[in-house]
């Protein structure tokens, strides 16, 4: 959010972090000023590394998504199971 989002904004930007336990998951949501470029490689090292780590730790029980939520805001959502079972 800082490195790829607001650091590129001339006037700075905003970061909003939400951490909530929902049912059997911890839901971490990060929104930041910026725009996910269409040229963004979803298989780039950082995104691929994050997805690989989640898969290694939690198998198919974890989730990761990144998207533009409007013209000037990007959202990353991570779902982590509260129980390893």
């Amino acid at each position: 959010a800082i490195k790829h989002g607001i650091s590129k904004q001339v006037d700075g930007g905003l970061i909003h972090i939400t951490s909530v336990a929902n049912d059997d998951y911890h839901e971490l949501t990060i929104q930041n000023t910026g725009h996910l470029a269409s040229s963004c490689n979803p298989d780039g090292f950082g995104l691929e590394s994050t997805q690989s780590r989640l898969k290694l730790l939690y198998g198919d029980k974890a989730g990761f998504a990144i998207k533009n939520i409007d013209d000037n805001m990007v959202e990353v959502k991570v779902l982590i199971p509260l129980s390893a079972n």
Side-chain angles (χ1 to χ4, degrees):
I2 294 171
K3 180 179 178 181
H4 298 293
I6 64 170
S7 70
K8 298 178 181 184
Q9 303 294 319
V10 175
D11 296 326
L14 300 172
I15 296 177
H16 184 254
I17 300 171
T18 306
S19 176
V20 179
N22 287 327
D23 298 321
D24 296 333
Y25 287 89
H26 174 214
E27 182 178 302
L28 178 64
T29 304
I30 303 166
Q31 297 176 340
N32 65 273
T33 305
H35 186 78
L36 185 63
S38 59
S39 63
C40 176
N41 181 0
D43 297 321
F45 177 76
L47 297 176
E48 183 179 332
S49 175
T50 299
Q51 293 173 341
S52 294
R53 289 178 189 194
L54 288 169
K55 178 109 174 144
L56 180 66
L57 291 169
Y58 305 107
D60 293 330
K61 295 178 182 176
F64 175 85
I66 184 169
K67 65 181 181 178
N68 289 312
I69 56 174
D70 63 29
D71 289 341
N72 197 37
M73 191 68 65
V74 176
E75 177 180 87
V76 172
K77 190 169 284 192
V78 181
L79 293 174
I80 299 171
L82 293 174
S83 172
N85 295 330

